Amino acid sequence: MVNPDIFVITFLVEEKAKTTKEAFDATNTKVTEIKKRLAEQKVAEKDIQTTSMSIYPNYDYSEWGDKPTPVWFVSQHGLTVRVRDLANTNGILSIISAIDGVQIQNTYFDLEDKTAAYSEARWLAIKKASQKASDIEKGAGVKLGKISYISESDVTPYYPTQVMNAYGAADMSAGGGSMVSAGQLEVVVSIMMNYDIQ
């Protein structure tokens, strides 16, 4: 088990208007405001990434015809934010969710550099695999020779936290108490070893 060091938030900014330009400009205005507020919370620009952008029409099908009339144009801008100051997780969530038209789609804790954690898990897995081989050797009454094959697979479980929608989000401000808990992450490595039987 390891302690996470980053909190990842994926959210969508959505606006609609009569024209594509108006919808795009409205979305861009909100994204700019969000980035400004995040910068005030010491979130670096490198930790804010655009993951998707789209503009599409909403049609009025009440009057049947060859060409349905667009009623609105919807502009969407998806963003991913990495929060490195975990003590400020609730504050960042509060800032994002307080802006109308924002949908928080996914949140989860992670470990940015898993190298050391995987190395430790790998050695523990090898140790356990060797012990199991020794037990089988004794129980089956055989003599194991050299290792003829070894493989590794990463089976680290993924634990996303609760998905929230900004339109009905609870109060996550500092005054509202701590809503998100970091806990610990489980890093799992599976090792398979084949032995020759002498």
Side-chain angles (χ1 to χ4, degrees):
M1 303 293 284
V2 295
N3 295 322
D5 56 15
I6 59 173
F7 183 67
V8 183
I9 310 168
T10 301
F11 61 96
L12 188 71
V13 180
E14 181 177 284
E15 285 294 316
K16 61 182 181 180
K18 291 293 185 181
T19 67
T20 55
K21 184 179 185 307
E22 289 174 342
F24 179 81
D25 288 347
T27 303
N28 190 53
T29 297
K30 280 194 175 177
V31 170
T32 301
E33 177 63 22
I34 291 172
K35 288 182 177 180
K36 178 183 176 182
R37 296 188 186 186
L38 291 175
E40 292 172 352
Q41 297 297 315
K42 310 301 182 183
V43 176
E45 186 176 350
K46 67 176 183 178
D47 291 325
I48 305 173
Q49 182 181 33
T50 293
T51 53
S52 65
M53 292 184 71
S54 65
I55 299 178
Y56 61 89
N58 276 354
Y59 291 101
D60 179 10
Y61 293 98
S62 60
E63 296 183 6
W64 293 99
D66 294 334
K67 294 182 179 180
T69 304
V71 179
W72 299 102
F73 287 92
V74 181
S75 173
Q76 294 182 332
H77 190 141
L79 291 157
T80 296
V81 174
R82 291 171 176 80
V83 181
R84 299 180 186 278
D85 181 5
L86 298 187
N88 201 22
T89 296
N90 293 301
I92 298 298
L93 282 170
S94 181
I95 288 172
I96 295 173
S97 64
I99 299 177
D100 291 334
V102 173
Q103 301 174 47
I104 298 180
Q105 299 180 308
N106 193 22
T107 60
Y108 61 93
F109 287 95
D110 202 358
L111 189 66
E112 186 171 29
D113 186 357
K114 300 183 180 69
T115 304
Y118 275 124
S119 179
E120 182 179 357
R122 186 177 298 112
W123 282 113
L124 287 172
I126 291 173
K127 183 178 179 180
K128 287 184 177 180
S130 298
Q131 182 59 53
K132 285 186 177 181
S134 178
D135 292 343
I136 292 172
E137 181 180 39
K138 294 177 182 177
V142 296
K143 181 68 175 178
L144 297 182
K146 294 182 179 180
I147 298 174
S148 58
Y149 175 82
I150 185 168
S151 68
E152 172 190 335
S153 62
D154 168 22
V155 291
T156 299
Y158 172 66
Y159 301 112
T161 57
Q162 182 181 6
V163 177
M164 292 167 287
N165 188 308
Y167 298 113
D171 179 14
M172 291 175 285
S173 62
S178 178
M179 181 177 180
V180 181
S181 301
Q184 288 189 313
L185 300 176
E186 184 179 17
V187 176
V188 181
V189 173
S190 178
I191 295 291
M192 182 176 72
M193 298 190 302
N194 290 350
Y195 288 81
D196 292 331
I197 297 178
Q198 297 179 344

